[in-house]
Amino acid sequence: MSTESDLADGVREVLSVDPDEFDARAEGEAEIVKQGLRDGAFDNHQSIVGFEYEFYAVADGRWSEESRAGDYALMRVPRRLLELMGFEKELGLHNAEMSTSPQPLSDHGLRAQLAEVRARLEAAENTAGVEGMRLVSDGLWTIPPAGETAREYLTDSVDVDGVTVAVNMSDSVRYHAMANAGGSEKADGGVEASGGTSKTTVEAPGVSLSADTVMPESLITSIQPHYQVAQATTLPRHFRYALRIAGPLLALGVNAPFFPPELYDDDWDGERVLAEGAAENRIHVFESVLNARTDEGKVRFPREFHDVETAVDRIAGDETLIPMPEPDGTDRFDDAFATFRTKHGSYWRWVRPVFEGASRSSANARIEFRPIPAQPTVRDSIAFQAAFAGLMQALPQREHPVIGLDWETARDNFYAAVADGLDAQIEWVGLDGERTTDTDALYGDLLDHAEAGLRTAGCADDEAAAWLAPLRWRVANRTTPASWKRDRVRERLDAGDDFATAVDDTQREYIDRQSETLIDGGFSAWTNE
C-alpha cells in the first residue's frame, strides 16, 4: 500500500500534466479508433456479454465487541484480502468489485456468467468470513463503521504538503487526483492541487453533505451489464434503444431509498423521507459528487448519436477532469489509443459506448449499462444482464417503434424512475406504435421482447423465460428492493421506532435475508413469510 506521501507525490505528478497536451493526445488517438472502425477491427462474429459487480463489506462481529454479531457495521477490506479473493479495489476502503469473463450471448454464455459470479462470490465470502467480514450486494450502505459516524467516515481527510488525501479512500492516484482536481491553473499549463479548497456536495432529497474529496461517492454500489455488438456500425442504433429502456429497467431495479439517517437535514424526519425521498438515491450521489468538479455535468443521461464516429468524438472531446500522464506501453492492441481509453475512464454517462481490446481479435465496440444498483441476490442481478442483452438483441432486429420515443421523454422516464421506482409514470411506445403509461402493458412488451431476444440468441423457450422470471415477479407484485425497504421502515415507524432505528434495523434485516439467498436464492422469497 502506498504511503500518504507517495500518494501526494503521485497526485502532484498527475496534476502537473498539461491538460491541453493530454486532450491533443486523446484527439489524435480518436482518429486511430475511427480508422480501426472503418477497417473492421472492432467487428466480431457474434454478440458478447460481460458483467461488473460491486459490493461493500460489513463486520459480522466474530472477533470484536466493537462489531457485535448482527450489527453489520461497515468495514474496511484489507488490501491483501482483496488479492486473496481475486477482487479489485474500488473507491472506498470498504468496496470490492469483480468482473466476469466475456461470454457469447447464449444460454450457455449466461449460465457461464451466473456460474462464475456464484463461484467467485462463494469463495470470496468464505475468505472474508474467516476475517469476520461479509460482502453485501446493495445500492447504498446506511450503517457506518463501528465507533464512527457516516459523516466522519466520508469526510475524513488530511493535507499532505498541499494535497488533500481522503483517509478512507483506496490508494489509487486517480481517485485522489479526482479529489484535488479543480484547483488553480499554473503558468506551465498544469493544475495546482486544490488543498481541499474545492468542495464536493452530495445533493439528494433531504441530504446535503459537503466534503473536500469525492469520497462520498463510496456510499453507492452497482451492477454494470455489458453488451458487445457483433458489427460496430450497429452501435448507434443499439445505443438509442438502450436509452429508451434505461428508465423502465431502472424502475425495476431501484434499491437505494435511504441514506445513513444522520445525514438527513434537520427538517427531514422519517415521515418526510417516506413521502418525498427518492427511490434510487444512487443516481443523485453519483451526479452531484462528480459533477461538482466539472463545468459540463459529466455524469448525466447521454445524448444519442447516429454514427459510430460521433461516439468516438464525444469521448475524446469530453471535458477533462484528470489529465493523466502518458501510460507506459504494453503489448495490448489498444495501447495504440491508451490516452483515449484513459479519457473514457472519466466519461461518466449512465449509458456509455466502449471501444477497447487486449488484442485485435478481441477488440470490440460495446455498450456499458450503468443505471442499475447492486441487487439483493446474484440471480436477480443476472436477470438484469439477461434482460438488457435480450432487449439489445430483439429491439433492433424487430425495428421496435419505441426508438421513435423522443430523447427528452426517455430522459424524463429515467429521472421519474429515480424518484418513484415502479410507481413512476413512464411513457412507452408499444409494438403497435401506440403510446402508453400503463405499467403492465409497458413491462409486458419490454420483457416479452427481452425473452424473444434470448430465444434468438439460442435459449430454449423455458430457459429464456426462467432468466427473466425474477423481473416479471417484481412487476406482478409491484415490489422492488427499494419498496421492500420502505415498507419495512414504515412498519417499524408505525410500531414506535424512531427513524434511525427503523432504517438501521431494516438494513440488518436486508443483510440477514441476503445471507440466506445471495448466492443460490432469489429476492422473491423475501416476501414469502
Side-chain angles (χ1 to χ4, degrees):
M1 180 180 292
S2 301
T3 65
E4 290 179 350
S5 180
D6 291 336
L7 281 173
D9 290 343
V11 168
R12 273 189 288 270
E13 179 185 1
V14 166
L15 296 182
S16 70
V17 175
D18 186 327
D20 292 335
E21 291 182 4
F22 175 81
D23 286 344
R25 290 203 312 270
E27 293 281 356
E29 292 176 6
E31 296 305 316
I32 297 175
V33 176
K34 288 190 282 188
Q35 185 60 53
L37 288 165
R38 290 190 288 269
D39 294 342
F42 295 91
D43 294 342
N44 291 278
H45 68 285
Q46 66 183 115
S47 300
I48 304 290
V49 292
F51 199 65
E52 296 177 62
Y53 202 154
E54 298 170 356
F55 302 84
Y56 62 78
V58 298
D60 71 0
R62 213 170 278 188
W63 307 121
S64 65
E65 179 63 21
E66 289 76 18
S67 54
R68 293 183 297 276
D71 277 4
Y72 300 134
L74 197 72
M75 188 171 181
R76 299 164 178 86
V77 184
R79 303 297 89 175
R80 61 171 180 78
L81 194 62
L82 273 182
E83 295 175 3
L84 286 174
M85 295 190 301
F87 278 48
E88 303 161 21
K89 61 187 176 184
E90 250 293 336
L91 184 70
L93 292 178
H94 57 277
N95 291 129
E97 181 182 39
M98 76 160 73
S99 299
T100 62
S101 306
Q103 297 289 342
L105 174 56
S106 65
D107 190 49
H108 291 301
L110 289 172
R111 285 182 176 276
Q113 295 280 294
L114 179 61
E116 181 178 358
V117 172
R118 282 175 167 167
R120 293 179 59 189
L121 183 55
E122 182 176 49
E125 288 280 39
N126 290 337
T127 302
V130 174
E131 301 289 334
M133 184 184 303
R134 185 186 304 280
L135 295 179
V136 178
S137 176
D138 192 9
L140 194 157
W141 58 264
T142 62
I143 303 175
E148 300 176 64
T149 68
R151 190 177 301 273
E152 290 169 345
Y153 181 78
L154 292 168
T155 62
D156 193 9
S157 63
V158 295
D159 184 285
V160 181
D161 299 328
V163 173
T164 303
V165 174
V167 172
N168 297 305
M169 191 183 291
S170 295
D171 59 338
S172 166
V173 168
R174 176 174 177 265
Y175 294 146
H176 290 272
M178 287 163 56
N180 288 271
S184 59
E185 189 173 337
K186 292 169 60 177
D188 62 3
V191 178
E192 291 280 11
S194 65
T197 59
S198 182
K199 292 285 186 180
T200 290
T201 302
V202 173
E203 295 179 353
V207 171
S208 182
L209 171 68
S210 183
D212 288 334
T213 75
V214 295
M215 181 65 188
E217 189 213 327
S218 71
L219 278 161
I220 58 177
T221 43
S222 68
I223 57 173
Q224 295 166 23
H226 291 238
Y227 178 85
Q228 174 183 318
V229 299
Q231 301 294 318
T233 54
T234 69
L235 185 72
R237 189 165 180 82
H238 283 86
F239 192 84
R240 291 167 65 200
Y241 275 113
L243 296 184
R244 272 82 185 159
I245 65 174
L249 287 182
L250 175 58
L252 278 179
V254 288
N255 192 19
F258 300 113
F259 284 91
E262 69 179 86
L263 298 184
Y264 283 97
D265 299 335
D266 291 340
D267 57 345
W268 279 69
D269 60 8
E271 295 296 334
R272 187 173 181 188
V273 172
L274 288 175
E276 302 178 36
E280 188 48 53
N281 285 297
R282 175 179 161 265
I283 305 299
H284 290 300
V285 171
F286 198 45
E287 288 191 347
S288 61
V289 169
L290 292 176
N291 287 346
R293 302 269 164 171
T294 59
D295 296 325
E296 299 176 2
K298 289 171 70 68
V299 185
R300 61 181 186 263
F301 190 80
R303 287 280 179 179
E304 56 196 2
F305 49 85
H306 293 267
D307 63 85
V308 70
E309 292 194 359
T310 296
V312 176
D313 288 337
R314 286 186 182 173
I315 295 169
D318 192 46
E319 181 181 2
T320 294
L321 176 62
I322 317 159
M324 299 291 286
E326 189 167 4
D328 295 331
T330 63
D331 58 355
R332 289 179 60 102
F333 167 78
D334 50 22
D335 280 348
F337 48 95
T339 298
F340 175 86
R341 288 174 57 224
T342 299
K343 189 80 179 272
H344 178 272
S346 62
Y347 184 72
W348 295 304
R349 304 295 191 271
W350 290 115
V351 184
R352 68 180 181 181
V354 184
F355 305 94
E356 67 177 14
S359 64
R360 184 181 176 90
S361 62
S362 66
N364 63 86
R366 65 181 190 268
I367 297 172
E368 181 181 346
F369 194 71
R370 300 165 59 84
I372 309 299
Q375 296 295 300
T377 75
V378 169
R379 187 67 186 80
D380 287 87
S381 297
I382 299 299
F384 278 99
Q385 181 186 33
F388 177 62
L391 288 165
M392 289 295 93
Q393 194 83 357
L395 296 180
Q397 287 179 344
R398 297 189 171 196
E399 299 185 345
H400 194 289
V402 76
I403 199 168
L405 189 72
D406 55 283
W407 176 86
E408 289 80 6
T409 301
R411 179 198 57 196
D412 292 346
N413 285 343
F414 181 79
Y415 289 105
V418 170
D420 297 317
L422 266 182
D423 292 331
Q425 181 167 297
I426 293 176
E427 189 169 331
W428 183 256
V429 179
L431 195 58
D432 58 2
E434 295 295 320
R435 295 193 175 220
T436 183
T437 57
D438 181 80
T439 299
D440 291 316
L442 186 167
Y443 286 106
D445 186 47
L446 183 91
L447 295 176
D448 283 352
H449 277 84
E451 195 170 315
L454 295 178
R455 292 196 301 269
T456 300
C459 294
D461 290 356
D462 59 339
E463 293 288 348
W467 287 116
L468 302 174
L471 305 187
R472 290 195 187 274
W473 178 90
R474 294 186 185 195
V475 176
N477 292 274
R478 295 297 194 270
T479 300
T480 62
S483 69
W484 183 92
K485 290 176 180 176
R486 289 170 60 85
D487 289 346
R488 264 96 194 132
V489 168
R490 172 80 274 163
E491 291 169 2
R492 289 180 164 93
L493 290 176
D494 290 346
D497 285 348
D498 62 77
F499 178 58
T501 300
V503 171
D504 288 351
D505 285 351
T506 293
Q507 189 69 9
R508 293 181 180 112
E509 183 183 355
Y510 179 98
I511 296 172
D512 279 332
R513 298 267 185 139
Q514 187 172 97
S515 68
E516 301 167 357
T517 57
L518 175 60
I519 295 175
D520 294 315
F523 172 60
S524 60
W526 291 23
T527 62
N528 297 331
E529 298 176 350

